[in-house]
Each structure stands twice: as structure tokens, then as C-alpha cells.
């Protein structure tokens, strides 16, 4: 097992290793010795696979366990599910010393974290991510949110978990395409500032992902410790995301987040090279590694369609959009672009 300590507004450990779900109850007990009730939150898919095991394990550690399950998918990450969860917490008379456990992917972690952040003005929550994407990104760093009609993650809070348990054995039941989706976020860490990880990704890692996942968590930890509230360096984690969110939006979210981010990173690299802001070999080196991970490097949407979609992105600051672009291989920076020039960036990125 590898343990990474995050020193943010709350200090906590991220444990990465095989079979950690078996220690969930004792971990929760050591983190929250006074807790009586645990609200175990899962989606329908994860609940069928691991819900009962997790519940029994928590009960064996002396907790009264309430199980809240919602239909799997991003569509559930809304205010209705959030209020249903909050109601269940209130009906269970949960107090500030009780605990929420998020067992699942990014949707589960974001939803549970936001409920924990807001119920009684904040109660502890423990992240138990079950997807690659949630292990390397969503479960670490304390961003919690639900979606509104007007856009994704518009209602949220920074609320750090009391701990993160990344049981890599849970990835064995992950469908190939969801595993691949998470690989886009792994490659993102390499491309924004970890050349060693970029080299490591030459070899397949699905059978033994602990080292790669722990490495990404360390990379994320370093960023979060420097910029927990997302005012500077943390924005670099959005590499490929402005382009990617536009693709997701144009496709009405039928293109997965990982695929969209993979294409987005390739587009950012192509545009940066076309504007002479990075060496000419960066786009192909990026696309070659994207394709090697089984991810797409191009989209069929037009620059106009993508620019219109991107204009509604919440990361706009006034009439400028902050793009993350490479200045060399495995190194990126922030590049504010006037909104009216965005379409040109998309054209070059295509
Ligand atoms: N997922 C990007 C961040 O945590 O800042």
C-alpha cells in the first residue's frame, strides 16, 4: 500500500493499494471514533457490486449504517438527488460527529461531498473511489458539487474528505471503456508536468495500477497544497478541459469525459503549435500517447459549434477565457484569450 498525505485546510491520507475495502470499517472508526451513524452513498451499479460488502464491513466496526443508492450516471448529479440525500441524513438524525462514505465514481464523490459540506454546515466524509478517474482526480482535493440546468458543477463547495481509500482491486470490475476514460486524466498529469510519468505510460498498467495511481495522486496533492481554492496553479489541472467540455456539450454528453479531455489536450497542443507557442512536435507526441491509450485525438464538431458551447463554460472570467496550453512537452501554462478569439483557437486545434 502507498500512503500520500495531503496538507490542505484539512490534513488527510490517501491510501492506494489492493484489498483496502476490507479495512473500510476500521479505517472509518479510526478517523471518526465518535461516529454512530454512517450514510453509505453509492450508485445502482456500484451498490450491486460492493454495497453489501461495504455495509457489512462498516456494521462490523460498530456503526449504524444507512444506505443511500441513486441511479448510476451524471444525470443523477442534480439538486433533486442532493436534497433526497440530505433528507435521508436528517431523518437518520445524523450529527456533526457522524460520517458519510462515498463509494463510487466522480458523481458519487461530488454529490456525497457536497451533501457532507452543507448538512449541519459540514460533517466528515470519506472517499472510497471505484473508478480510475475518481481515484486520480475527483476524490482528492475537496471539490464537491452538483449540476444545475445552467451547467455542470455550478452548485458546490470546497470540502476536504477525512480520508481517501483507493482500493485498486475494485478496478477489476470496471468496463474497459470506463478504465480507458480515467487514463485520459492520468495522461493529463504527465502532460502538465510529469515527464517521468509520461515515460512510465509506455507500459500497460491495468493489471498493476497502484504505482501509476499513487504517482497521479502525488501530482494532484502537490497542486492542491499550493492552490487549494483554485485561483492559480490548480487551474492547470483543466488541461484539455475547455476544449473537452465544449465537445461533451456539443455531443449532449454522449462523448465521455475522458475521450473529450483526450481530444481537448490534442487540440490545445495543435493550436499552441500553430500559434508558435510550443515546439512543433508537441501535438504529434501528445496524440501518439492518446491513441496508444485507446483514446480519440480528433472531433468532427466545427470550430463554430465548439466555440459557442465553450462560451457558456463557467471558467470564463469576463470577456477572457483562460486556456491551458503547452509551452513544451510535459509542461503547460495559463494563457488568457479574448472570447472573440476563441473560435480561431478551435480552428487551429482541429
Ligand atoms: N478536477 C480538477 C481539480 O480538482 O481541480
Amino acid at each position: 500500500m502507498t500512503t500520500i498525505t495531503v496538507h490542505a485546510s484539512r490534513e488527510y491520507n490517501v491510501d492506494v493499494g489492493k484489498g483496502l475495502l476490507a479495512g473500510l470499517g476500521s479505517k472509518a472508526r479510526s478517523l471518526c471514533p465518535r461516529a454512530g451513524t454512517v450514510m453509505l452513498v453509492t450508485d445502482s451499479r456500484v451498490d450491486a457490486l460492493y454495497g453489501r460488502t461495504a455495509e457489512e464491513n462498516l456494521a462490523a466496526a460498530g456503526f449504524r449504517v444507512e444506505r443511500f443508492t441513486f441511479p448510476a450516471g451524471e444525470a443523477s448529479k442534480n439538486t433533486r438527488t442532493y436534497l433526497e440525500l440530505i433528507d435521508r441524513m436528517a431523518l437518520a438524525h445524523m450529527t456533526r460527529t457522524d460520517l458519510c462514505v462515498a463509494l463510487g465514481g466522480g458523481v458519487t464523490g461530488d454529490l456525497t461531498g457536497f451533501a457532507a459540506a452543507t448538512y449541519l454546515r459540514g460533517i466528515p466524509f470519506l472517499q472510497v473511489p471505484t473508478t480510475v478517474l475518481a481515484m486520480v482526480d475527483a476524490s482528492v482535493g475537496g471539490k464537491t458539487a452538483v449540476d444545475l440546468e445552467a451547467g455542470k458543477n455550478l452548485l458546490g463547495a470546497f470540502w476536504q474528505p477525512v480520508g481517501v481509500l483507493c482500493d485498486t482491486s475494485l478496478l477489476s470490475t470496471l468496463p474497459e471503456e470506463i478504465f480507458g476514460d480515467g487514463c485520459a486524466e492520468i495522461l493529463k498529469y504527465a502532460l502538465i508536468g510529469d515527464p517521468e510519468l509520461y515515460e512510465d505510460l509506455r507500459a500497460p498498467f491495468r493489471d498493476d495500477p497502484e504505482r501509476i495511481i499513487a504517482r497521479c495522486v502525488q501530482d494532484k496533492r502537490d497542486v492542491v497544497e499550493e492552490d487549494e481554492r483554485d485561483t492559480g496553479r490548480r487551474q492547470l489541472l483543466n488541461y484539455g478541459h475547455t476544449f473537452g467540455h465544449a465537445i461533451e456539450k456539443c455531443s449532449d454528453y454522449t462523448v465521455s469525459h475522458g475521450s473529450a479531455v483526450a481530444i481537448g489536450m490534442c487540440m490545445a497542443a495543435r493550436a499552441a503549435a500553430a500559434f508558435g507557442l510550443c515546439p512543433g512536435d508537441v501535438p504529434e507526441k501528445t496524440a501518439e500517447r492518446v491513441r496508444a491509450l485507446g483514446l480519440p485525438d480528433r472531433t468532427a464538431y466545427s470550430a463554430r459549434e465548439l466555440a459557442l458551447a465553450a462560451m457558456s463554460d463557467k471558467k470564463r472570467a469576463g470577456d477572457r477565457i483562460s486556456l491551458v496550453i503547452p509551452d513544451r512537452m510535459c509542461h503547460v501554462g495559463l494563457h488568457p484569450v479574448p472570447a472573440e478569439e476563441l473560435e480561431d483557437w478551435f480552428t487551429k486545434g482541429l
Side-chain angles (χ1 to χ4, degrees):
M1 180 177 85
T2 313
T3 296
I4 299 119
T5 303
V6 182
H7 302 271
S9 49
R10 191 199 306 275
E11 185 175 308
Y12 56 98
N13 286 340
V14 182
D15 297 326
V16 185
K18 272 192 187 150
L20 300 186
L21 190 63
L24 172 62
S26 51
K27 186 66 165 185
R29 180 53 73 204
S30 70
L31 290 167
C32 295
R34 291 165 56 214
T37 301
V38 168
M39 183 63 69
L40 175 63
V41 184
T42 54
D43 70 21
S44 45
R45 192 184 155 273
V46 173
D47 187 62
L49 290 166
Y50 305 114
R52 201 164 146 194
T53 309
E55 179 175 352
E56 287 173 359
N57 198 278
L58 287 161
F63 295 108
R64 185 169 68 88
V65 186
E66 296 272 337
R67 210 150 127 195
F68 180 87
T69 306
F70 61 90
E74 179 81 25
S76 289
K77 204 177 103 173
N78 56 28
T79 49
R80 208 182 56 190
T81 320
Y82 160 73
L83 288 174
E84 280 170 11
L85 172 54
I86 291 282
D87 271 342
R88 279 286 303 279
M89 290 161 73
L91 285 171
H93 303 290
M94 288 180 74
T95 69
R96 282 210 187 110
T97 52
D98 290 328
L99 172 73
C100 288
V101 173
L103 174 68
V107 169
T108 304
D110 283 7
L111 171 74
T112 312
F114 185 55
T118 47
Y119 179 73
L120 298 179
R121 301 190 182 88
I123 71 167
F125 86 115
L126 175 64
Q127 291 269 23
V128 188
T130 58
T131 63
V132 178
L133 189 128
M135 288 186 189
V136 301
D137 185 26
S139 67
V140 182
K143 277 190 182 175
T144 73
V146 294
D147 301 337
L148 298 181
E149 288 287 321
K152 286 176 73 169
N153 297 324
L154 290 186
L155 184 64
F158 288 97
W159 188 245
Q160 301 292 342
V162 291
V164 184
L165 275 191
C166 296
D167 180 349
T168 53
S169 0
L170 306 186
L171 299 177
S172 63
T173 50
L174 213 55
E176 196 59 49
E177 71 273 14
I178 299 183
F179 186 88
D181 224 42
C183 291
E185 297 286 347
I186 289 179
L187 180 59
K188 181 191 77 179
Y189 287 107
L191 295 174
I192 66 177
D194 193 342
E196 215 174 287
L197 177 61
Y198 178 82
E199 290 308 321
D200 282 355
L201 291 178
R202 283 184 198 284
F205 55 89
R206 176 145 196 181
D207 291 341
D208 188 13
E210 178 177 327
R211 200 171 56 85
I212 295 284
I213 287 175
R215 176 84 187 196
C216 294
V217 171
Q218 278 160 3
D219 285 347
K220 177 138 192 195
R221 183 265 319 267
D222 293 348
V223 173
V224 168
E225 285 186 354
E226 189 182 310
D227 178 24
E228 181 175 349
R229 305 289 292 197
D230 202 15
T231 57
R233 186 176 165 200
R234 189 164 179 171
Q235 291 171 25
L236 300 180
L237 296 176
N238 291 329
Y239 186 39
H241 283 61
T242 300
F243 295 81
H245 284 157
I247 295 167
E248 282 183 276
K249 204 160 185 184
C250 283
S251 77
D252 210 10
Y253 298 96
T254 54
V255 174
S256 72
H257 181 69
S259 293
V261 167
I263 300 167
M265 294 189 293
C266 293
M267 288 180 70
R270 276 184 217 113
F275 281 114
L277 299 169
C278 75
D281 62 348
V282 172
E284 189 41 38
K285 280 185 172 162
T286 303
E288 173 261 310
R289 200 52 55 87
V290 160
R291 291 191 298 264
L293 288 168
L295 291 159
D297 64 330
R298 291 194 181 268
T299 178
Y301 294 109
S302 70
R304 167 50 60 97
E305 287 171 304
L306 293 169
L308 285 174
M311 294 298 275
S312 57
D313 193 297
K314 76 178 192 310
K315 286 173 190 77
R316 279 186 69 180
D319 58 356
R320 294 177 90 76
I321 292 183
S322 217
L323 292 179
V324 184
I325 57 155
D327 46 22
R328 58 178 190 272
M329 202 55 207
C330 297
H331 196 270
V332 296
L334 283 177
H335 192 82
V337 170
E340 62 273 14
E341 287 175 20
L342 196 63
E343 190 174 331
D344 199 22
W345 277 80
F346 281 111
T347 304
K348 300 249 182 335
L350 293 170

